[in-house]
Amino acid sequence: MKKAVGGRNAAKFVQLEQYLQTTIRGEIQDSIPFIDEIEKSRISK
C-alpha cells in the first residue's frame, strides 16, 4: 500500500481503519448485557 499511495497516506488509512474497528467493537460491547444483567432479567420475568 505504501508504494501505491505513499507512506503518509498509507498510515492515515491504517489509522482510520483501526479507529473504525475500535469504535464498532465498543458499540457492540456496549449493546451486549453483562451476565448479571441477563440473570436479573430472567428473575424479574
Side-chain angles (χ1 to χ4, degrees):
M1 184 177 233
K2 182 180 174 181
K3 287 183 180 181
V5 297
R8 183 173 293 226
N9 285 332
K12 287 179 185 180
F13 177 78
V14 170
Q15 187 177 25
L16 175 63
E17 183 180 24
Q18 289 176 347
Y19 171 78
L20 291 173
Q21 287 177 352
T22 302
T23 303
I24 291 168
R25 283 183 183 150
E27 291 294 322
I28 291 170
Q29 287 176 345
D30 285 344
S31 68
I32 298 172
F34 288 107
I35 292 172
D36 288 344
E37 292 174 356
I38 294 170
E39 292 299 321
K40 287 178 186 177
S41 69
R42 287 182 183 171
I43 293 171
S44 65
K45 287 184 178 181

Short mmCIF file of all heavy atoms in Angstrom, two decimals:
data_model
loop_
_atom_site.label_atom_id
_atom_site.label_comp_id
_atom_site.label_asym_id
_atom_site.label_seq_id
_atom_site.Cartn_x
_atom_site.Cartn_y
_atom_site.Cartn_z
N MET A 1 0.83 -1.18 0.00
CA MET A 1 0.00 0.00 0.00
C MET A 1 0.88 1.25 0.00
O MET A 1 0.53 2.24 -0.62
CB MET A 1 -0.93 -0.03 1.21
CG MET A 1 -1.89 1.12 1.25
SD MET A 1 -2.99 0.99 2.62
CE MET A 1 -4.52 1.14 1.79
N LYS A 2 1.98 1.17 0.72
CA LYS A 2 2.89 2.31 0.78
C LYS A 2 3.35 2.73 -0.61
O LYS A 2 3.41 3.92 -0.92
CB LYS A 2 4.08 1.96 1.66
CG LYS A 2 5.07 3.07 1.83
CD LYS A 2 6.21 2.63 2.74
CE LYS A 2 7.29 3.68 2.81
NZ LYS A 2 8.41 3.27 3.65
N LYS A 3 3.64 1.74 -1.46
CA LYS A 3 4.10 2.05 -2.81
C LYS A 3 2.98 2.67 -3.65
O LYS A 3 3.23 3.53 -4.49
CB LYS A 3 4.62 0.79 -3.50
CG LYS A 3 5.94 0.32 -2.99
CD LYS A 3 6.41 -0.89 -3.76
CE LYS A 3 7.75 -1.37 -3.24
NZ LYS A 3 8.22 -2.54 -4.00
N ALA A 4 1.75 2.26 -3.41
CA ALA A 4 0.64 2.73 -4.23
C ALA A 4 0.20 4.15 -3.88
O ALA A 4 -0.07 4.96 -4.76
CB ALA A 4 -0.54 1.78 -4.10
N VAL A 5 0.12 4.46 -2.57
CA VAL A 5 -0.42 5.76 -2.17
C VAL A 5 0.55 6.62 -1.36
O VAL A 5 0.22 7.74 -1.01
CB VAL A 5 -1.73 5.59 -1.36
CG1 VAL A 5 -2.82 4.95 -2.18
CG2 VAL A 5 -1.49 4.82 -0.08
N GLY A 6 1.72 6.08 -1.07
CA GLY A 6 2.70 6.83 -0.28
C GLY A 6 2.59 6.47 1.20
O GLY A 6 1.55 6.03 1.68
N GLY A 7 3.68 6.67 1.89
CA GLY A 7 3.75 6.28 3.29
C GLY A 7 2.77 7.00 4.19
O GLY A 7 2.11 6.41 5.04
N ARG A 8 2.66 8.30 4.03
CA ARG A 8 1.77 9.10 4.90
C ARG A 8 0.31 8.71 4.69
O ARG A 8 -0.44 8.52 5.64
CB ARG A 8 1.97 10.58 4.64
CG ARG A 8 1.13 11.44 5.57
CD ARG A 8 1.48 12.88 5.40
NE ARG A 8 2.84 13.06 5.88
CZ ARG A 8 3.22 14.05 6.67
NH1 ARG A 8 2.36 14.95 7.04
NH2 ARG A 8 4.45 14.15 7.08
N ASN A 9 -0.10 8.58 3.44
CA ASN A 9 -1.49 8.21 3.16
C ASN A 9 -1.79 6.78 3.59
O ASN A 9 -2.88 6.49 4.06
CB ASN A 9 -1.82 8.40 1.68
CG ASN A 9 -1.99 9.86 1.32
OD1 ASN A 9 -2.36 10.68 2.16
ND2 ASN A 9 -1.70 10.21 0.09
N ALA A 10 -0.82 5.90 3.47
CA ALA A 10 -1.00 4.52 3.95
C ALA A 10 -1.19 4.52 5.46
O ALA A 10 -2.05 3.82 5.99
CB ALA A 10 0.19 3.67 3.55
N ALA A 11 -0.40 5.32 6.16
CA ALA A 11 -0.52 5.42 7.62
C ALA A 11 -1.87 6.01 8.02
O ALA A 11 -2.50 5.55 8.98
CB ALA A 11 0.62 6.26 8.19
N LYS A 12 -2.34 7.00 7.27
CA LYS A 12 -3.66 7.59 7.55
C LYS A 12 -4.76 6.54 7.39
O LYS A 12 -5.69 6.48 8.18
CB LYS A 12 -3.95 8.76 6.61
CG LYS A 12 -3.16 10.00 6.91
CD LYS A 12 -3.52 11.08 5.89
CE LYS A 12 -2.70 12.33 6.06
NZ LYS A 12 -3.06 13.35 5.05
N PHE A 13 -4.64 5.73 6.34
CA PHE A 13 -5.64 4.70 6.11
C PHE A 13 -5.64 3.68 7.23
O PHE A 13 -6.70 3.30 7.73
CB PHE A 13 -5.37 3.99 4.77
CG PHE A 13 -6.32 2.87 4.49
CD1 PHE A 13 -7.61 3.11 4.04
CD2 PHE A 13 -5.93 1.55 4.70
CE1 PHE A 13 -8.49 2.07 3.80
CE2 PHE A 13 -6.80 0.50 4.46
CZ PHE A 13 -8.08 0.77 4.01
N VAL A 14 -4.46 3.24 7.65
CA VAL A 14 -4.37 2.27 8.75
C VAL A 14 -4.95 2.86 10.03
O VAL A 14 -5.68 2.20 10.76
CB VAL A 14 -2.90 1.82 8.95
CG1 VAL A 14 -2.75 1.01 10.23
CG2 VAL A 14 -2.43 1.01 7.76
N GLN A 15 -4.64 4.12 10.29
CA GLN A 15 -5.15 4.78 11.48
C GLN A 15 -6.68 4.87 11.43
O GLN A 15 -7.36 4.60 12.43
CB GLN A 15 -4.55 6.18 11.60
CG GLN A 15 -4.89 6.88 12.89
CD GLN A 15 -4.22 8.24 12.98
OE1 GLN A 15 -3.88 8.85 11.97
NE2 GLN A 15 -4.03 8.70 14.19
N LEU A 16 -7.23 5.22 10.29
CA LEU A 16 -8.68 5.30 10.15
C LEU A 16 -9.33 3.93 10.32
O LEU A 16 -10.33 3.79 11.02
CB LEU A 16 -9.04 5.88 8.78
CG LEU A 16 -10.53 5.91 8.43
CD1 LEU A 16 -11.30 6.80 9.40
CD2 LEU A 16 -10.74 6.34 7.00
N GLU A 17 -8.71 2.92 9.72
CA GLU A 17 -9.25 1.57 9.83
C GLU A 17 -9.27 1.10 11.29
O GLU A 17 -10.26 0.55 11.76
CB GLU A 17 -8.42 0.61 8.99
CG GLU A 17 -8.95 -0.81 8.99
CD GLU A 17 -8.10 -1.74 8.14
OE1 GLU A 17 -6.91 -1.46 7.92
OE2 GLU A 17 -8.65 -2.76 7.69
N GLN A 18 -8.20 1.35 12.02
CA GLN A 18 -8.13 0.96 13.43
C GLN A 18 -9.16 1.73 14.26
O GLN A 18 -9.80 1.18 15.16
CB GLN A 18 -6.73 1.18 13.99
CG GLN A 18 -5.74 0.19 13.45
CD GLN A 18 -4.32 0.46 13.92
OE1 GLN A 18 -4.02 1.52 14.45
NE2 GLN A 18 -3.45 -0.51 13.71
N TYR A 19 -9.35 3.02 13.97
CA TYR A 19 -10.34 3.82 14.67
C TYR A 19 -11.74 3.25 14.45
O TYR A 19 -12.52 3.10 15.39
CB TYR A 19 -10.29 5.27 14.18
CG TYR A 19 -11.42 6.10 14.71
CD1 TYR A 19 -11.41 6.59 16.00
CD2 TYR A 19 -12.52 6.38 13.90
CE1 TYR A 19 -12.47 7.34 16.49
CE2 TYR A 19 -13.58 7.13 14.37
CZ TYR A 19 -13.55 7.61 15.67
OH TYR A 19 -14.60 8.35 16.15
N LEU A 20 -12.07 2.93 13.21
CA LEU A 20 -13.39 2.39 12.90
C LEU A 20 -13.61 1.04 13.59
O LEU A 20 -14.68 0.79 14.15
CB LEU A 20 -13.58 2.25 11.39
CG LEU A 20 -13.69 3.56 10.62
CD1 LEU A 20 -13.68 3.30 9.12
CD2 LEU A 20 -14.90 4.35 11.04
N GLN A 21 -12.60 0.18 13.56
CA GLN A 21 -12.73 -1.12 14.21
C GLN A 21 -12.93 -0.96 15.71
O GLN A 21 -13.78 -1.64 16.30
CB GLN A 21 -11.49 -1.97 13.95
CG GLN A 21 -11.41 -2.50 12.54
CD GLN A 21 -10.13 -3.28 12.29
OE1 GLN A 21 -9.23 -3.31 13.11
NE2 GLN A 21 -10.06 -3.92 11.14
N THR A 22 -12.18 -0.06 16.33
CA THR A 22 -12.31 0.17 17.77
C THR A 22 -13.68 0.73 18.11
O THR A 22 -14.31 0.31 19.08
CB THR A 22 -11.21 1.13 18.25
OG1 THR A 22 -9.93 0.58 17.93
CG2 THR A 22 -11.30 1.37 19.74
N THR A 23 -14.16 1.66 17.31
CA THR A 23 -15.48 2.27 17.55
C THR A 23 -16.59 1.23 17.41
O THR A 23 -17.49 1.15 18.24
CB THR A 23 -15.71 3.43 16.57
OG1 THR A 23 -14.65 4.38 16.74
CG2 THR A 23 -17.05 4.09 16.81
N ILE A 24 -16.52 0.43 16.38
CA ILE A 24 -17.55 -0.60 16.15
C ILE A 24 -17.52 -1.64 17.27
O ILE A 24 -18.57 -2.03 17.79
CB ILE A 24 -17.36 -1.26 14.76
CG1 ILE A 24 -17.69 -0.24 13.67
CG2 ILE A 24 -18.21 -2.52 14.63
CD1 ILE A 24 -17.28 -0.67 12.28
N ARG A 25 -16.33 -2.08 17.66
CA ARG A 25 -16.22 -3.05 18.76
C ARG A 25 -16.79 -2.48 20.05
O ARG A 25 -17.47 -3.17 20.80
CB ARG A 25 -14.77 -3.45 18.98
CG ARG A 25 -14.27 -4.42 17.96
CD ARG A 25 -12.85 -4.84 18.27
NE ARG A 25 -12.35 -5.72 17.24
CZ ARG A 25 -11.09 -5.81 16.89
NH1 ARG A 25 -10.18 -5.09 17.50
NH2 ARG A 25 -10.73 -6.64 15.94
N GLY A 26 -16.52 -1.21 20.30
CA GLY A 26 -17.06 -0.56 21.50
C GLY A 26 -18.58 -0.52 21.50
O GLY A 26 -19.21 -0.79 22.52
N GLU A 27 -19.15 -0.19 20.36
CA GLU A 27 -20.61 -0.15 20.25
C GLU A 27 -21.22 -1.54 20.46
O GLU A 27 -22.25 -1.69 21.13
CB GLU A 27 -21.04 0.40 18.89
CG GLU A 27 -20.74 1.86 18.70
CD GLU A 27 -21.55 2.75 19.62
OE1 GLU A 27 -22.74 2.45 19.87
OE2 GLU A 27 -20.99 3.74 20.12
N ILE A 28 -20.59 -2.54 19.89
CA ILE A 28 -21.09 -3.91 20.06
C ILE A 28 -21.00 -4.33 21.52
O ILE A 28 -21.94 -4.90 22.07
CB ILE A 28 -20.32 -4.88 19.14
CG1 ILE A 28 -20.68 -4.61 17.68
CG2 ILE A 28 -20.62 -6.33 19.51
CD1 ILE A 28 -19.82 -5.35 16.68
N GLN A 29 -19.87 -4.05 22.15
CA GLN A 29 -19.70 -4.43 23.55
C GLN A 29 -20.68 -3.70 24.45
O GLN A 29 -21.17 -4.27 25.43
CB GLN A 29 -18.26 -4.16 24.00
CG GLN A 29 -17.29 -5.15 23.41
CD GLN A 29 -15.85 -4.84 23.77
OE1 GLN A 29 -15.53 -3.75 24.23
NE2 GLN A 29 -14.98 -5.80 23.57
N ASP A 30 -20.98 -2.45 24.14
CA ASP A 30 -21.96 -1.71 24.93
C ASP A 30 -23.36 -2.28 24.81
O ASP A 30 -24.18 -2.15 25.71
CB ASP A 30 -21.98 -0.24 24.52
CG ASP A 30 -20.78 0.53 25.03
OD1 ASP A 30 -20.08 0.03 25.94
OD2 ASP A 30 -20.53 1.65 24.53
N SER A 31 -23.65 -2.91 23.68
CA SER A 31 -25.00 -3.43 23.47
C SER A 31 -25.19 -4.84 24.05
O SER A 31 -26.31 -5.31 24.17
CB SER A 31 -25.34 -3.45 21.98
OG SER A 31 -24.55 -4.40 21.30
N ILE A 32 -24.10 -5.50 24.40
CA ILE A 32 -24.19 -6.85 24.97
C ILE A 32 -24.32 -6.74 26.48
O ILE A 32 -23.49 -6.11 27.13
CB ILE A 32 -22.94 -7.68 24.61
CG1 ILE A 32 -22.83 -7.85 23.11
CG2 ILE A 32 -22.97 -9.04 25.32
CD1 ILE A 32 -21.55 -8.50 22.65
N PRO A 33 -25.36 -7.34 27.07
CA PRO A 33 -25.52 -7.23 28.52
C PRO A 33 -24.51 -8.10 29.27
O PRO A 33 -24.02 -9.10 28.75
CB PRO A 33 -26.94 -7.76 28.75
CG PRO A 33 -27.21 -8.65 27.60
CD PRO A 33 -26.43 -8.08 26.44
N PHE A 34 -24.20 -7.68 30.49
CA PHE A 34 -23.35 -8.49 31.35
C PHE A 34 -24.13 -9.70 31.82
O PHE A 34 -25.36 -9.72 31.80
CB PHE A 34 -22.90 -7.68 32.58
CG PHE A 34 -21.89 -6.63 32.25
CD1 PHE A 34 -22.23 -5.29 32.24
CD2 PHE A 34 -20.58 -6.98 31.96
CE1 PHE A 34 -21.29 -4.32 31.95
CE2 PHE A 34 -19.64 -6.02 31.66
CZ PHE A 34 -20.00 -4.68 31.66
N ILE A 35 -23.44 -10.72 32.27
CA ILE A 35 -24.09 -11.96 32.72
C ILE A 35 -25.07 -11.66 33.84
O ILE A 35 -26.17 -12.19 33.87
CB ILE A 35 -23.03 -13.00 33.14
CG1 ILE A 35 -22.26 -13.45 31.91
CG2 ILE A 35 -23.68 -14.19 33.84
CD1 ILE A 35 -21.07 -14.33 32.20
N ASP A 36 -24.69 -10.81 34.79
CA ASP A 36 -25.58 -10.46 35.90
C ASP A 36 -26.88 -9.82 35.40
O ASP A 36 -27.95 -10.05 35.95
CB ASP A 36 -24.90 -9.53 36.89
CG ASP A 36 -23.84 -10.24 37.71
OD1 ASP A 36 -23.83 -11.50 37.73
OD2 ASP A 36 -23.01 -9.55 38.34
N GLU A 37 -26.78 -9.01 34.37
CA GLU A 37 -27.97 -8.36 33.83
C GLU A 37 -28.90 -9.38 33.19
O GLU A 37 -30.11 -9.25 33.26
CB GLU A 37 -27.58 -7.30 32.81
CG GLU A 37 -26.88 -6.11 33.42
CD GLU A 37 -26.36 -5.14 32.39
OE1 GLU A 37 -26.48 -5.42 31.17
OE2 GLU A 37 -25.84 -4.09 32.78
N ILE A 38 -28.34 -10.39 32.56
CA ILE A 38 -29.16 -11.44 31.94
C ILE A 38 -29.89 -12.19 33.04
O ILE A 38 -31.10 -12.45 32.93
CB ILE A 38 -28.28 -12.41 31.12
CG1 ILE A 38 -27.67 -11.68 29.93
CG2 ILE A 38 -29.09 -13.62 30.65
CD1 ILE A 38 -26.62 -12.49 29.19
N GLU A 39 -29.20 -12.55 34.10
CA GLU A 39 -29.82 -13.29 35.21
C GLU A 39 -30.92 -12.46 35.87
O GLU A 39 -31.99 -12.97 36.18
CB GLU A 39 -28.76 -13.69 36.24
CG GLU A 39 -27.77 -14.71 35.75
CD GLU A 39 -28.40 -16.03 35.36
OE1 GLU A 39 -29.33 -16.48 36.04
OE2 GLU A 39 -27.98 -16.62 34.34
N LYS A 40 -30.68 -11.18 36.08
CA LYS A 40 -31.68 -10.30 36.70
C LYS A 40 -32.94 -10.21 35.85
O LYS A 40 -34.05 -10.20 36.35
CB LYS A 40 -31.11 -8.92 36.94
CG LYS A 40 -30.11 -8.87 38.06
CD LYS A 40 -29.54 -7.48 38.21
CE LYS A 40 -28.43 -7.45 39.23
NZ LYS A 40 -27.82 -6.12 39.34
N SER A 41 -32.78 -10.14 34.52
CA SER A 41 -33.94 -10.04 33.64
C SER A 41 -34.73 -11.34 33.63
O SER A 41 -35.95 -11.32 33.48
CB SER A 41 -33.52 -9.65 32.22
OG SER A 41 -32.82 -10.70 31.60
N ARG A 42 -34.09 -12.46 33.79
CA ARG A 42 -34.79 -13.75 33.86
C ARG A 42 -35.61 -13.86 35.15
O ARG A 42 -36.71 -14.38 35.14
CB ARG A 42 -33.81 -14.91 33.76
CG ARG A 42 -33.23 -15.11 32.39
CD ARG A 42 -32.33 -16.31 32.38
NE ARG A 42 -31.70 -16.45 31.07
CZ ARG A 42 -30.73 -17.30 30.81
NH1 ARG A 42 -30.27 -18.09 31.76
NH2 ARG A 42 -30.22 -17.38 29.60
N ILE A 43 -35.03 -13.39 36.24
CA ILE A 43 -35.70 -13.48 37.53
C ILE A 43 -36.92 -12.57 37.58
O ILE A 43 -37.96 -12.95 38.09
CB ILE A 43 -34.72 -13.13 38.68
CG1 ILE A 43 -33.64 -14.20 38.76
CG2 ILE A 43 -35.43 -12.99 40.01
CD1 ILE A 43 -32.49 -13.87 39.70
N SER A 44 -36.81 -11.38 36.99
CA SER A 44 -37.90 -10.42 37.06
C SER A 44 -39.06 -10.77 36.14
O SER A 44 -40.14 -10.22 36.26
CB SER A 44 -37.39 -9.02 36.73
OG SER A 44 -36.95 -8.95 35.40
N LYS A 45 -38.89 -11.70 35.22
CA LYS A 45 -39.96 -12.05 34.29
C LYS A 45 -40.87 -13.08 34.85
O LYS A 45 -41.01 -13.73 35.66
CB LYS A 45 -39.39 -12.56 32.97
CG LYS A 45 -38.81 -11.46 32.16
CD LYS A 45 -38.35 -11.98 30.83
CE LYS A 45 -37.82 -10.83 29.98
NZ LYS A 45 -37.37 -11.25 28.69
#
